[in-house]
């Protein structure tokens, strides 16, 4: 099975680029290749002009899995402190970024509460905060609203819209057309491991 064939995409700085396709289309495989988690069996892949998986490429990317897991002994603030240390940020930068990000994702005031008490939507928003901790040039979101109740989807979508309005470049993988329509600037359609179309939603619907 060729999971991906000749895939090439370009997301512009400051836009939300959506990768849309049915389950099994190769979307998550593509993301794993871009992050250096999976090595392609043939061909080459690059990100920011750097080989995927290299330290130079990975340092510029923040990633949110579709079902983020934060160790249950953490609070939101201690989790961000942990991830900040993994990104080799100073204590001062960790404190400053934590304050900014907790406000951004709507968890200020609940930062010292155990994540055991968080809803899945709150965990996803905390996951967004940790993915942004090192202020990456590109934020990769893999099905960020899957499994969430309508309120949770709305909360995550509002954070994405705030990031978009602030000029952050976002690559969003989803199989839900409605979610993509609401936040994405441009979209690529992936099916059978191949890009079948790319452009604005208006261009693709004509």
């Amino acid at each position: 099975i060729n999971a991906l064939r000749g895939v090439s995409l370009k997301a512009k700085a400051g836009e939300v680029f959506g990768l849309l396709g049915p389950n099994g289309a190769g979307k998550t495989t593509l993301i794993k290749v871009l992050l250096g988690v999976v090595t392609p069996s043939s061909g080459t892949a690059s990100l920011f002009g750097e080989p995927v998986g290299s330290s130079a490429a990975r340092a510029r990317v923040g990633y949110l899995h579709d079902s983020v897991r934060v160790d249950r002994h953490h609070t939101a603030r201690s989790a961000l402190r942990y991830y900040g240390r993994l990104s080799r940020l100073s204590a001062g930068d960790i404190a400053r970024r934590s304050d900014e990000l907790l406000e951004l994702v709507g968890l200020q005031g609940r930062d010292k509460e155990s994540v055991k008490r968080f809803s899945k939507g709150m965990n996803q928003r905390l996951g967004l905060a940790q993915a942004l901790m090192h202020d990456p040039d590109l934020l990769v979101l893999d099905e960020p609203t899957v499994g969430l109740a309508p309120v949770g989807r709305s909360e995550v979508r509002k954070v994405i819209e705030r990031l978009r309005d602030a000029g952050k470049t976002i690559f969003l993988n989803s199989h839900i057309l409605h979610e993509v329509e609401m936040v994405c600037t441009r979209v690529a359609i992936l099916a059978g491991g191949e890009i079948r179309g790319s452009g604005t939603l208006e261009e693709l619907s004509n």
Side-chain angles (χ1 to χ4, degrees), residues 171-200:
F171 186 85
L172 188 154
N173 162 31
S174 181
H175 67 277
I176 304 173
L177 176 60
H178 177 65
E179 293 291 328
V180 170
E181 285 179 319
M182 295 188 73
V183 296
C184 291
T185 312
R186 290 189 304 126
V187 174
I189 298 173
L190 184 68
E194 297 181 323
I195 298 295
R196 303 303 173 94
S198 181
T200 65

Side-chain angles (χ1 to χ4, degrees), residues 88-100:
R88 299 176 181 172
L89 299 180
S90 69
D93 285 341
I94 289 173
R96 177 182 57 81
R97 288 291 291 163
S98 295
D99 288 340
E100 294 171 353

Side-chain angles (χ1 to χ4, degrees), residues 50-101:
E50 303 283 350
V52 294
S54 65
S55 296
R58 294 179 71 165
R60 299 178 65 180
V61 179
Y63 173 59
L64 175 65
H65 192 269
D66 60 352
S67 54
V68 65
R69 294 285 186 271
V70 177
D71 288 341
R72 292 169 66 82
H73 67 274
H74 275 300
T75 65
R77 187 167 290 275
S78 70
L80 293 183
R81 187 181 306 117
Y82 171 74
Y83 289 114
R85 287 172 176 168
L86 287 180
S87 295
R88 299 176 181 172
L89 299 180
S90 69
D93 285 341
I94 289 173
R96 177 182 57 81
R97 288 291 291 163
S98 295
D99 288 340
E100 294 171 353
L101 293 170

Side-chain angles (χ1 to χ4, degrees), residues 131-150:
L132 290 162
M133 195 66 189
H134 60 300
D135 196 19
D137 295 316
L138 175 66
L139 180 64
V140 177
L141 307 178
D142 189 5
E143 301 277 8
T145 62
V146 69
L148 297 183

